[in-house]
Amino acid sequence: MATVRIAACGGYTRRSPLSPGSLAAARMSTEPSSPHHFIRQIVLDDRASGRHDGRVATRFPPEPNGYLHLGHGKSICLNFGLAREFGGTCNLRFDDTNPAKEDLEYVESIKRDVQWLGFAWSELRHASDYFEVFYRCAEKLISDGKAFVCDLSAEEVREFRGTLTQPGRNSPFRERGVEENLDLFRRMRAGEFADGAKTLRAKIDMASGNINLRDPALYRIRHVPHQNTGNAWCIYPMYDYAHCISDAVEGITHSLCTLEFEDHRPLYDWCLDQLDLPNHPELWQPLVDAGLPTRVSRPQQIEFARGNLDHTVMSKRKLMALVQDGLVDGWDDPRMPTLSGARRRGFTPWSIRTFWERAGITKQNSVLEYSVLEGCVREDLDANAARRLAVIDPLKLVITNLADGHEETLIFANHPKNEGFGTREVPFARELWIEREDFMEVPPKGFHRLVPGGEVRLRGVGIVRCEAMLRDAAGAVCEVHCTLDHDTRPGKPGAERKVKGTIHWISARHALAAEVRLYERLFDVADPDDDSDGKTYRDHLNQNSKRVVRAWLEPSLGGVAAGTAFQFERLGFFVADLVDHRTDRPVFNRTVTLRDTWAKKA
């Protein structure tokens, strides 16, 4: 697949901050700008022609067998976005037809993710809401001679199916009579047969060039309790069969799927054609009896390219393995490409929505650069995150021409470009913490920070000169001694004197100790799934993807709520961890650096 580079353009329009103060109050509002793409054009044409009575009804139908990842964000934004734009509806429907792999934990996480991205579903549905409807539809297919009960094993079915170049063979059970098939199917439902002993298959065409039409399975036996229906059922419908019926009974007009379902569309249409649900209300009468809002339609399936990013994997199976094998710290590990991981990392809903909007909707599979998503995060946080001072690799700096007990309060702006964020007080004293990388004993050419005998400006304070340095037992510099040029302090005659470097600092006496987690990409190559060199994605795990340091923060960061984001000046954007952060034990995660550091590594 080709790698796509996306330039910044379009997206959401910004407005002024809602009110000054915290990040939560200063968060800018966003409005969708309705980017044009081929699916939107289909909807426009359908509305113009009166198809679906001009309605737009979509759905987001995840299987609750894992946490949603960033790729799912594309489908969420597309389905909910179209419904929002055209005044339609979008349901959240859980495709819970495979109870062996599904869990209520995943159900709750999916609901949180959709809401976090800024969307609200019209109705919350489950495929299991329609189990009785699926069953009635299956009996209709059997009665019409369009389905049969098959005794072939899964391995035998594969043998009979044929290949892309050779037609399949009919099952020896294909010609069972209607009454025998109905009897066997009812006994399947009653639990008389073991798992895998029988399946219900559609009777279509074993010579079809589309393998999906070679008598596909509609039902299989699974003696597994279901999260919603308990032990009421031991037969469960296959996805292709359940999906189209679910769409129809929910009144969905545009069923948006990713490209891998394009070859499945003929089966989708075949099922709907055979069942003719709008004209057979007896099939969906159970929904009416249950009081579920029902508006039966003839939906159309439309496919689009899924969202793929470099430097990550999107397979639920592989993500599950990373969690189960302890290679990450859970589904919400900030390095994971899950939406819950992105939220904990500090990515914003605006940045994810904007990223997928800028990526566009096409039928061409491609891989998008992770750096583009990071650019969207920087864009949002640069405008909306208050500034704070922090030191993550501390070196002691002592201003020797200040008294031991010297202490004063400085006023700093919370945002350099937006006065609405207000100001804060920052304590200043004789002993400070600075970043270790801001001092070099033997500097390279072009180094414009602190060096022996050199000068640098302390942010908001004035210019200091390095006069001496102390070493620890290992010979490393552990403390630098400087003098402050008082004439260069703000408001003094020499305040405008020029030096090439400005560095930040923290008052050591007032500093707030914190745990800071420095995250990088989970994989160290662009395509971890590429096994051409004999390696697997596990071999490409970035061993430096998480580094934990003890940092010093300005005291105004004490008491901030989990999930609050800041720019730590000169260091990057950071967020108070959603899980481990406490006011008495601060934990901050680095969301993203101020610039794309990976571009230099490529």
Side-chain angles (χ1 to χ4, degrees):
M1 291 184 287
T3 299
V4 177
R5 293 184 180 272
I6 305 173
C9 62
Y12 287 72
T13 56
R14 295 179 173 277
R15 299 185 299 196
S16 299
L18 301 177
S19 63
S22 67
L23 172 63
R27 175 68 59 191
M28 293 201 178
S29 299
T30 56
E31 298 175 350
S33 60
S34 302
H36 195 72
H37 49 74
F38 80 95
I39 294 180
R40 184 172 182 268
Q41 186 60 52
I42 290 174
V43 173
L44 288 170
D45 292 343
D46 287 345
R47 285 165 60 84
S49 67
R51 187 175 184 180
H52 307 299
D53 298 323
R55 293 187 307 116
V56 176
T58 61
R59 80 291 168 270
F60 175 60
E63 181 180 1
N65 63 348
Y67 281 59
L68 298 183
H69 54 62
L70 288 165
H72 291 111
K74 180 177 184 178
S75 181
I76 293 172
C77 293
L78 175 60
N79 280 286
F80 283 93
L82 282 173
R84 176 184 290 175
E85 177 185 356
F86 292 104
T89 61
C90 183
N91 290 349
L92 173 60
R93 181 206 306 148
F94 289 103
D95 173 39
D96 54 350
T97 58
N98 189 8
K101 295 184 178 180
E102 296 158 5
D103 194 285
L104 284 173
E105 173 190 353
Y106 304 137
V107 170
E108 294 304 315
S109 73
I110 290 169
K111 290 193 289 187
R112 285 195 301 270
D113 288 342
V114 172
Q115 292 171 328
W116 174 69
L117 279 177
F119 300 106
W121 49 85
S122 302
E123 294 179 28
L124 180 64
R125 295 291 186 97
H126 303 79
S128 56
D129 296 338
Y130 315 131
F131 275 179
E132 186 62 39
V133 176
F134 299 151
Y135 183 81
R136 290 192 181 197
C137 288
E139 285 204 341
K140 179 182 187 303
L141 291 175
I142 294 172
S143 298
D144 293 345
K146 299 295 184 179
F148 67 100
V149 175
C150 183
D151 295 359
L152 292 179
S153 68
E155 183 178 345
E156 290 170 331
V157 168
R158 284 191 292 270
E159 292 175 359
F160 274 68
R161 183 174 291 135
T163 66
L164 292 173
T165 58
Q166 294 181 333
R169 294 176 290 144
N170 287 346
S171 164
F173 307 99
R174 196 175 195 268
E175 300 309 319
R176 278 174 165 155
V178 169
E179 292 305 318
E180 182 182 6
N181 280 317
L182 282 172
D183 175 66
L184 289 171
F185 187 54
R186 288 165 183 168
R187 290 164 62 192
M188 285 171 61
R189 176 178 181 173
E192 291 188 25
F193 307 112
D195 289 4
K198 299 181 185 299
T199 56
L200 180 70
R201 296 174 64 184
K203 190 185 290 188
I204 307 180
D205 181 7
M206 290 301 293
S208 173
N210 186 335
I211 291 181
N212 295 295
L213 296 180
R214 295 183 185 179
D215 292 4
L218 304 179
Y219 265 94
R220 77 283 205 198
I221 302 172
R222 290 286 188 275
H223 290 272
V224 178
H226 189 279
Q227 58 177 332
N228 282 344
T229 60
N231 293 307
W233 295 85
C234 62
I235 56 172
Y236 294 99
M238 304 299 290
Y239 175 82
D240 283 336
Y241 172 70
H243 181 61
C244 59
I245 298 173
S246 300
D247 284 347
V249 299
E250 287 182 19
I252 301 306
T253 58
H254 302 84
S255 179
L256 310 180
C257 303
T258 45
L259 279 180
E260 61 265 33
F261 291 100
E262 188 170 31
D263 290 341
H264 297 246
R265 191 187 339 135
L267 177 56
Y268 182 99
D269 291 335
W270 182 89
C271 289
L272 293 178
D273 290 342
Q274 305 308 314
L275 295 170
D276 189 20
L277 286 162
N279 294 316
H280 288 276
E282 72 278 5
L283 298 178
W284 37 272
Q285 184 63 36
L287 303 183
V288 178
D289 295 341
L292 284 175
T294 304
R295 178 172 184 167
V296 179
S297 69
R298 178 57 162 84
Q300 61 183 121
Q301 179 175 305
I302 307 168
E303 304 84 21
F304 63 96
R306 66 190 304 167
N308 298 300
L309 284 87
D310 66 7
H311 284 95
T312 192
V313 296
M314 294 292 196
S315 161
K316 277 188 180 179
R317 176 181 58 82
K318 293 177 180 177
L319 296 177
M320 177 81 76
L322 291 174
V323 173
Q324 293 179 338
D325 295 344
L327 298 173
V328 294
D329 301 327
W331 284 101
D332 64 349
D333 186 311
R335 296 167 293 177
M336 287 279 276
T338 56
L339 289 174
S340 58
R343 179 165 65 250
R344 189 174 174 187
R345 176 80 169 259
F347 283 26
T348 63
W350 184 91
S351 64
I352 294 173
R353 293 195 307 263
T354 301
F355 170 71
W356 286 122
E357 181 179 289
R358 293 175 180 178
I361 304 296
T362 70
K363 279 186 172 287
Q364 178 184 2
N365 276 322
S366 58
V367 177
L368 306 172
E369 294 183 352
Y370 201 88
S371 59
V372 179
L373 174 58
E374 292 175 328
C376 291
V377 177
R378 290 188 186 96
E379 182 181 341
D380 190 17
L381 293 180
D382 182 61
N384 292 303
R387 274 45 170 177
R388 292 294 184 267
L389 300 177
V391 172
I392 61 176
D393 186 13
L395 173 66
K396 179 69 69 70
L397 183 149
V398 180
I399 302 178
T400 56
N401 60 337
L402 290 180
D404 287 347
H406 181 88
E407 183 175 324
E408 59 182 289
T409 299
L410 306 181
I411 304 300
F412 278 41
N414 286 324
H415 198 290
K417 305 173 186 176
N418 192 329
E419 293 182 356
F421 278 75
T423 61
R424 69 189 189 281
E425 296 182 345
V426 177
F428 169 69
R430 182 175 188 265
E431 295 187 355
L432 309 174
W433 295 115
I434 65 170
E435 288 293 341
R436 187 170 298 275
E437 66 176 18
D438 283 338
F439 171 82
M440 293 194 73
E441 185 177 2
V442 183
K445 184 178 180 180
F447 185 80
H448 298 307
R449 285 164 279 174
L450 194 60
V451 299
E455 291 184 321
V456 72
R457 184 180 298 277
L458 292 182
R459 163 101 157 84
V461 175
I463 296 173
V464 296
R465 175 184 292 275
C466 179
E467 307 289 0
M469 54 189 176
L470 302 180
R471 301 181 186 275
D472 59 22
V477 176
C478 61
E479 190 172 300
V480 292
H481 289 186
C482 298
T483 53
L484 172 63
D485 183 349
H486 292 280
D487 286 340
T488 63
R489 302 211 64 187
K492 296 292 184 178
E496 300 302 318
R497 182 160 74 86
K498 303 295 184 182
V499 290
K500 290 187 175 181
T502 299
I503 65 174
H504 67 282
W505 50 271
I506 297 289
S507 170
R509 182 184 306 168
H510 305 90
L512 176 68
E515 177 180 313
V516 170
R517 299 166 180 174
L518 305 174
Y519 290 106
E520 293 188 1
R521 299 177 189 180
L522 186 56
F523 296 95
D524 57 15
V525 294
D527 186 4
D529 283 323
D530 182 7
D531 58 1
S532 59
D533 57 359
K535 296 182 178 180
T536 71
Y537 70 101
R538 292 170 178 259
D539 298 314
H540 296 298
L541 286 167
N542 177 11
Q543 301 304 313
N544 297 315
S545 60
K546 177 183 178 182
R547 186 163 59 93
V548 179
V549 299
R550 177 181 172 85
W552 296 105
L553 316 179
E554 66 171 83
S556 66
L557 286 167
V560 301
T564 310
F566 298 94
Q567 183 192 110
F568 289 177
E569 294 191 20
R570 301 178 65 229
L571 300 178
F573 296 100
F574 292 74
V575 65
D577 186 69
L578 289 170
V579 177
D580 299 326
H581 175 81
R582 300 197 307 264
T583 55
D584 61 338
R585 186 182 176 277
V587 178
F588 282 85
N589 301 327
R590 183 171 65 190
T591 303
V592 67
T593 54
L594 294 179
R595 296 179 180 81
D596 182 7
T597 57
W598 279 78
K600 301 176 182 177
K601 302 176 184 179

